[in-house]
Amino acid sequence: MIRDALSRGTILFLLSLGAALMLLPFAWMISTSLKAPNEVMLMPPKWMPSEWHWDNYVRALTMAPFGRYFLNSVLVTALSTLGELITTILAAYAFARLSFWGRDFLFSLLLGTMMVPGEVLLVPNYVTLARLGWIDRYEALIIPWTASVFAIFLLRQHFLFVPKELGYAARVDGAGDFRFLWTIMVPIVRPAIVTIVVLKAIGSWNAFLWPLIVTNSREMRTLPVGLTAFTTEAGTAYELLMAASAFVIVPMIVLYLLLQRSIVEGLARTGIKG
Amino acid sequence: MPDKPNLRSTAKAFVYLAPALLVLGTFTIYPIVESFLLSFYTDYDYFHDRVYRLGFDNYLYLLKDPEFHLALRNTAVFVIGVVPISIALSLGIALMLYRPIPLRSFFRTVYFLPTVTSVVAVAVVWRWIFHSDYGLLNFGLGLLGIQPVRWLTDPRWALPALILFAIWKSLGYNIVLFLAGLSNIPETYHLAARLDRAGPWRRFWSITFPLLWPTTFFVSIVSIIGAFKVFDEVYALFGGSPGPLSSALTLVYYIFVKFYREQDYAVASAAAYVLFLITFLLTVIQLWIGRKRTAV
């Protein structure tokens, strides 16, 4: 294969070149974010700041209410993830272990909705939220995202693999379905639950179009929406723009480095679903 | 755990299903139907729920609207520009990363980095890289003796800039999928081919490529559908505009403009259903070919 066709050195060289190109934007962001204003717009560019201006971060983050944006993002991510987890565990259990009329029909119907692009839902959902009086409120940012067909499907598949005998044993010991679900089933499928949480948290943290549409006031913006607004607020002060971007990006990178294995496996798993 | 459903077991199951069904019913199933109906409203007062006339006018409007044609064309160029290059590059990188090599886990981490970061935040960084006078990209091109390009302000270069950014962003995810696909190919085939003295290229084209085909096909469909829905990248890269002279107006951006800026809900819904039709056909092709392969 490629490995025999190219020498080890060539492969290492190509991979390093690619890695440098992948990393360059991040490095350039950090470098620019620490420069004095007069060192930002130079040609040829100055690779490293001659003095590290950490105060750029203070200036950028106080120019717009980034603290508030950050709290909004944390709140929205945490609550929509928690909500999705609860609705998913309950619904997946019903589909995997309870028998009821219309089960297969309902399950196919839900799977069918996965084919519909989210953009189709935009207009009616906006109107529904307006009628509920939820526009520009946390409800609009959280509640529509507290259930996911994909997550239900994924968890149901994992519940199906748990031996049925476990349920019978629990029943003999006097545990009802509800207790059995939370104390036995949920701990068994922990890897799948971690996958669901990680994917949801990344998706929710990075979500853009929806928060852009349902928020009007500055106080309700999430980080991505606040950051795009900041690009007009900061004008050409690129050192401040880069500091603000780093403020959004760096926590994600740290989290990714800590949880790398579950994130990558989770994404690979979603790919294999087809 | 009763095996046959009865009234009691059904009632119980629906208690478990209620929270999910309430949310999905309101925010997924109802809007799918509502949006479809809305796309046929030609005279209506949406907030008061009054419809005076139905018809195909919204779709006819799309058929004639030059902006919509532009959006379709731009989206098609974007898909054709991003998907093949992204797939070729990520397949090559996955093949190099597949077997032990020094720093392998470091490389995997690095290539995956853009995938987990917010599109909007990295787009802000790329705006700076694309800067006509002080951007890193034009500096690099200058070293090669190429004149500076006005990436984000010249209508001819807006789409290429968007494509470049999208390729950078999409590589990591595709690499992960290819690595998963490669790990499913049994090593024995390669050993057998080696015994028959098949060279590296022969082995790639006769073993790896055909056995990896389901993965490649899947990655292609997922990438094409994803690329058809591009929006965040456009909004963030061009600062809330669809590029100079709408040169980066995409299908979803068009829906966004009709819905949010012009409050033309019916046309927005019709355009969204055109998008649905495109992604639906792609999904059907995928399922059809997937089924044919498993039947063989």
Side-chain angles (χ1 to χ4, degrees), chain A residues 38-72:
Chain A
N38 60 353
E39 285 188 334
V40 174
M41 300 236 182
L42 288 179
M43 214 35 144
K46 207 164 160 33
W47 293 103
M48 291 291 276
S50 48
E51 239 181 283
W52 289 22
H53 283 265
W54 291 101
D55 55 300
N56 285 342
Y57 282 81
V58 181
R59 279 173 55 212
L61 301 183
T62 46
M63 236 174 104
F66 275 100
R68 179 70 193 238
Y69 300 162
F70 185 79
L71 283 181
N72 287 345

Side-chain angles (χ1 to χ4, degrees), chain B residues 208-226:
Chain B
T208 312
F209 192 75
L211 288 176
L212 200 60
W213 176 245
T215 308
T216 312
F217 181 71
F218 175 75
V219 175
S220 316
I221 295 284
V222 168
S223 307
I224 293 172
I225 291 178

Side-chain angles (χ1 to χ4, degrees), chain A residues 148-224:
Chain A
S148 143
V149 175
F150 170 67
I152 293 172
F153 175 72
L154 187 72
L155 201 59
R156 170 188 172 266
Q157 301 303 94
H158 282 83
F159 277 160
L160 287 176
F161 276 111
V162 179
K164 278 228 157 94
E165 288 71 22
L166 268 178
Y168 303 138
R171 187 172 303 266
V172 170
D173 290 342
D177 274 299
F178 195 71
R179 204 166 137 214
F180 168 65
L181 167 61
W182 292 99
T183 56
I184 295 176
M185 290 291 261
V186 168
I188 291 177
V189 296
R190 224 186 109 184
I193 288 188
V194 171
T195 300
I196 290 171
V197 167
V198 161
L199 291 181
K200 177 69 176 186
I202 294 178
S204 184
W205 186 264
N206 293 340
F208 178 66
L209 178 54
W210 191 252
L212 175 72
I213 283 172
V214 299
T215 56
N216 304 323
S217 62
R218 243 185 164 196
E219 289 69 40
M220 291 306 299
R221 286 174 186 159
T222 56
L223 270 181

Side-chain angles (χ1 to χ4, degrees), chain B residues 281-293:
Chain B
L281 289 176
L282 289 168
T283 312
V284 169
I285 293 173
Q286 182 194 15
L287 292 175
W288 186 62
I289 292 187
R291 186 157 301 164
K292 232 169 71 173
R293 289 198 64 87

Side-chain angles (χ1 to χ4, degrees), chain B residues 67-89:
Chain B
E67 289 274 295
F68 185 70
H69 298 171
L70 180 66
L72 274 182
R73 198 165 52 236
N74 285 343
T75 310
V77 171
F78 178 77
V79 171
I80 293 166
V82 172
V83 177
I85 297 178
S86 175
I87 287 181
L89 282 176

Side-chain angles (χ1 to χ4, degrees), chain B residues 36-44 52-65 68-69 254 258 264-271 274:
Chain B
F36 183 70
L37 297 176
L38 186 52
S39 72
F40 293 101
Y41 292 2
T42 52
D43 189 3
Y44 63 103
Y52 307 109
R53 215 157 54 80
L54 292 168
F56 289 94
D57 291 13
N58 301 315
Y59 290 96
L60 292 175
Y61 175 86
L62 291 181
L63 219 54
K64 286 186 202 130
D65 185 13
F68 185 70
H69 298 171
Y254 179 87
K258 284 291 165 203
D264 195 342
Y265 291 176
V267 169
S269 290
V274 172

Side-chain angles (χ1 to χ4, degrees), chain B residues 130-177:
Chain B
F130 282 130
H131 195 285
S132 314
D133 301 321
Y134 304 104
L136 219 43
L137 187 56
N138 276 348
F139 169 70
L141 293 176
L143 293 182
L144 301 172
I146 298 169
Q147 287 297 307
V149 174
R150 307 194 73 81
W151 292 100
L152 301 179
T153 46
D154 183 338
R156 284 173 305 166
W157 289 103
L159 262 181
L162 185 67
I163 289 170
L164 200 61
F165 170 53
I167 292 173
W168 176 83
K169 186 82 174 74
S170 66
L171 279 182
Y173 182 55
N174 293 344
I175 292 172
V176 167
L177 294 183

Side-chain angles (χ1 to χ4, degrees), chain A residues 1 3 11 15 19 28 32 41 90 99-101 120 125 127 131 171 177-178 206 208 228 256 260 267 271, chain B residues 1-2 9-10 12-13 16 27 35 46 96 99-101 109 111-112 116 118 120 124 128 134 200 208 218 235:
Chain A
M1 270 192 7
R3 173 160 310 265
I11 288 180
L15 283 175
W28 190 231
T32 307
M41 300 236 182
L90 290 173
S99 56
F100 58 94
W101 288 323
V120 167
N125 277 349
V127 175
R131 284 186 179 147
R171 187 172 303 266
D177 274 299
F178 195 71
N206 293 340
F208 178 66
T228 48
Y256 162 60
Q260 194 173 359
L267 281 167
Chain B
M1 216 175 298
S9 73
T10 303
K12 182 178 167 185
Y16 281 78
F27 296 107
S35 194
Y46 197 78
M96 291 194 278
R99 277 189 257 166
I101 184 135
T109 307
Y111 283 107
F112 200 64
V116 290
S118 145
V120 168
V124 173
W128 175 220
Y134 304 104
T208 312
F218 175 75
Y235 189 99

